[in-house]
Amino acid sequence: MPANKRNTTRKSELPLDQVRRYLEPGPVLLVSSAHEGESDVMVMGWHTVMEFSPSLVGCVISRANHSYGLIRASGECVLNLPTRAQLEQVLGVGSTSGADIDKFAAFGLTPEPAERVGAPAIRECHAHFECRLHDDSLVERYDFFVWEVVAARALATPRHPETLHYQGDGMFMVAGQTIRRRRRGLK
């Protein structure tokens, strides 16, 4: 067997705490929230599209997170899409608590009014997805929220931004090359 063909199909055992590195392909989001005059922003590394129309997104927000209380009380949030250019801001937001500091001010994030929800959007982000709570039946048991996106905005360029994808242990991937293979029947 040639040296370059050896062990290319043989797989090694993977520690279970590293499974997320393969299954968390969605981009990192900055989730902004507000309730009764208080606002906060948190980092989210895992979410899942659940339906296209209406646009439903599911995610886990830990009750240990300061934003949890604001989100739970208001039933709203904005999912903001940062790019590679905001990596340092993402790291700062993710390593601090809104109970201790104003993360918007501390990390140079500009809150701006959303169109349909009370939570602010973040001006520096590439896109904003305004959400209202659609289903909270799994919140008490799993901290799993199902959101309906009720408004969405994105910059026209770049069309395919360099998004961040968290893999655990401080490792990120940046969205790479876009490949288009359109076939009949696929949209």
Side-chain angles (χ1 to χ4, degrees), residues 33-75:
S33 56
H35 184 65
E36 294 184 350
E38 183 181 357
S39 61
D40 194 22
V41 59
M42 61 172 268
V43 174
M44 177 181 292
W46 180 84
H47 45 85
T48 185
V49 172
M50 298 179 69
E51 184 62 71
F52 300 123
S53 184
S55 180
L56 300 181
V57 177
C59 67
V60 172
I61 300 174
S62 171
R63 63 190 71 226
N65 191 303
H66 181 69
S67 291
Y68 177 92
L70 299 175
I71 290 169
R72 193 69 175 118
S74 69

Side-chain angles (χ1 to χ4, degrees), residues 56 132-139 144-148:
L56 300 181
R132 285 200 183 112
L133 189 59
H134 178 77
D135 183 345
D136 69 349
S137 63
L138 297 174
V139 171
F144 189 85
F145 293 77
V146 178
W147 300 104
E148 179 177 356

